[in-house]
Amino acid sequence: MAKPVSIEVWNPNGKYRVVSTKSMPGTRWINLLIEQDCRLEICTEKKTILSVEDIIALIGDKCDGVIGQLTEDWGETLFAALSKAGGKAFSNMAVGYNNVDVNAANKYGVAVGNTPGVLTETTAELAASLSLAAARRIVEADGFMRAGLYDGWLPHLFVGNLLKGQTVGVIGAGRIGSAYARMMVEGFKMNLIYFDLYQSTRLEKFVTAYGQFLKANGEQPVTWKRASSMSEVLQEADVISLHPVLDKTTYHLINKESLATMKKEAILINCSRGPVVDEVALVEHLKQNPMFRVGLDVFEDEPYMKPGLGEMKNAIVVPHIASASKWTREGMATLAALNVLGKIKGYPVWHDPNRVDPFLNENAPPPAASPSIVNAKALGLPVSKL
């Protein structure tokens, strides 16, 4: 028998029982559920990551839907338990769902939600922040100052890289990669080289137009180039930001061989998926190339780092906070709640999961739809015509 798990209950007499495995930012998501006759139970266990057994205890004998986190193992065992309890909906509070066995969800008829469309600018901003922090050695300098080591200005103290006129490389020019590229091009007047399987016409037009603006004002115009391969980006760029999907073609995209092709003073940023980078190879490269710098928000074996990474002064490491702006995290909570609510209520699936502004408008009721269900087609769910 599963050990009881501590919870906080909202609207105890609600008709539908919804469980959230974590407290989430904001209160709108809570209000949207209880206004639709849901009894909401929020796990209050002081554990960062809940076990499968913990979540089974939360699901119990009757549960209509669960809001979960990307740190949880949603596979056959949990979907079987949720289905047995009468549940038909699960949503990650995340755009990614590598932690979810979608085939198992399909087997038990459980809709799987995620939260795209709300993380683009926030994630791009963190990638840009890491780029600047690495280029100007801000974290190193901050630690130096706090340690009381500063005793006066010196010509060589924490000399870093100027971004203006350098080349920013983007691997994966989707929504986040393109947003990052625009920030770096317009903010720091960097030239762009990018690789994507699909041409990013809007991004190219943006850089072209900005280049024309600079030229008209007597400045050096920025340029863009679409690379024919990922290796071309790695070889030519001064700052490289990774924004690919994680699959067999991008697993360990950054490895000993590819690192060796990069510039000795290049800056590498990863806010995408941890396994895109071979961390063991990266640590060795950082040791051998002290002016090579890296900014990481994700890790190969998260939440752990490979040995030695945390000791490298030329590495900036942050704990998966790319989406951690107040607006974005509250929006993610809202979308996850509405994914579950929509399935419980029998609503259709929203026609475009990347256009979610109507769900985030706090001055109007959200559309009667689930914002994003990744297995909607497999389950034969109707799509909203709104």
Side-chain angles (χ1 to χ4, degrees):
M1 184 175 178
K3 180 183 176 182
V5 178
S6 60
I7 58 170
E8 175 187 6
V9 180
W10 294 74
N11 193 29
N13 297 319
K15 178 179 178 182
Y16 309 103
R17 181 171 176 263
V18 175
V19 168
S20 178
T21 63
K22 291 289 181 195
S23 174
M24 300 188 295
T27 57
R28 184 169 181 250
W29 70 278
I30 296 173
N31 294 328
L32 288 170
L33 289 171
I34 63 179
E35 286 168 4
Q36 294 294 322
D37 204 16
C38 291
R39 170 191 168 101
L40 173 62
E41 298 182 11
I42 304 173
C43 179
T44 57
E45 286 285 311
K46 301 298 182 184
K47 296 174 68 174
T48 301
I49 301 174
L50 295 183
S51 67
V52 169
E53 292 73 23
D54 291 330
I55 298 172
I56 289 174
L58 282 170
I59 291 170
D61 297 326
K62 181 188 180 301
C63 182
D64 295 285
V66 176
I67 303 167
Q69 304 297 323
L70 53 77
T71 53
E72 300 158 3
D73 182 12
W74 278 85
E76 175 91 15
T77 302
L78 287 182
F79 284 120
L82 181 56
S83 177
K84 185 178 179 181
K88 294 296 181 183
F90 164 77
S91 184
N92 253 3
M93 182 198 156
V95 63
Y97 48 94
N98 293 345
N99 62 309
V100 179
D101 184 341
V102 178
N103 289 329
N106 293 341
K107 175 181 174 181
Y108 291 101
V110 178
V112 174
N114 69 334
T115 62
V118 73
L119 298 93
T120 301
E121 300 297 329
T122 298
T123 303
E125 283 181 5
L126 185 77
S129 300
L130 290 173
S131 301
L132 183 59
R136 298 304 302 271
R137 304 175 66 180
I138 292 172
V139 175
E140 286 180 82
D142 178 85
F144 180 86
M145 195 73 184
R146 292 176 189 275
L149 299 175
Y150 180 59
D151 55 7
W153 186 90
L154 288 170
H156 293 290
L157 191 61
F158 293 108
V159 172
N161 298 4
L162 178 70
L163 295 179
K164 181 183 177 182
Q166 300 297 299
T167 298
V168 61
V170 174
I171 294 179
R175 293 182 304 279
I176 296 171
S178 291
Y180 167 82
R182 291 194 302 269
M183 291 176 188
M184 302 304 289
V185 169
E186 186 176 17
F188 301 105
K189 299 176 183 175
M190 299 186 77
N191 300 310
L192 171 68
I193 181 172
Y194 80 93
F195 175 80
D196 198 287
L197 295 176
Y198 303 96
Q199 184 175 9
S200 184
T201 305
R202 289 181 63 187
L203 178 58
E204 293 172 1
K205 288 180 178 178
F206 174 89
V207 179
T208 298
Y210 187 56
Q212 291 170 345
F213 168 80
L214 291 174
K215 187 175 182 180
N217 285 275
E219 295 189 60
Q220 182 71 25
V222 292
T223 62
W224 64 265
K225 175 183 178 182
R226 184 186 178 195
S228 59
S229 66
M230 289 185 277
S231 60
E232 187 178 354
V233 176
L234 296 178
Q235 292 168 26
E236 294 189 16
D238 301 289
V239 180
I240 296 127
S241 192
L242 306 173
H243 301 278
V245 297
L246 175 62
D247 59 24
K248 63 183 181 181
T249 68
T250 59
Y251 176 80
H252 281 190
L253 165 68
I254 302 301
N255 52 38
K256 181 179 179 180
E257 290 73 27
S258 59
L259 284 165
T261 69
M262 296 171 67
K263 295 180 179 180
K264 293 295 185 183
E265 294 189 6
I267 293 167
L268 177 68
I269 306 298
N270 188 18
C271 292
S272 61
R273 294 288 182 265
V276 170
V277 176
D278 178 347
E279 274 181 38
V280 172
L282 177 62
V283 170
E284 190 60 32
H285 191 75
L286 289 168
K287 289 178 180 176
Q288 295 176 4
N289 299 275
M291 293 310 294
F292 183 95
R293 294 190 283 279
V294 65
L296 302 177
D297 179 56
V298 289
F299 305 91
E300 190 173 356
D301 296 319
E302 204 164 312
Y304 308 106
M305 294 187 291
K306 288 291 196 266
L309 182 58
E311 286 76 56
M312 302 308 302
K313 291 184 178 181
N314 48 343
I316 301 173
V317 290
V318 294
H320 206 146
I321 58 170
S323 66
S325 69
K326 183 175 183 292
W327 181 84
T328 293
R329 288 282 172 91
E330 290 185 1
M332 292 166 69
T334 294
L335 295 173
L338 290 174
N339 281 332
V340 171
L341 179 65
K343 186 64 174 69
I344 290 172
K345 289 287 192 175
Y347 295 158
V349 178
W350 190 241
H351 65 281
D352 187 347
N354 292 307
R355 297 181 182 272
V356 294
D357 286 351
F359 295 96
L360 304 176
N361 181 3
E362 297 187 15
N363 298 315
S370 292
S372 178
I373 302 297
V374 301
N375 58 342
K377 186 174 181 179
L379 297 181
L381 303 180
V383 176
S384 170
K385 298 296 192 292
L386 296 175

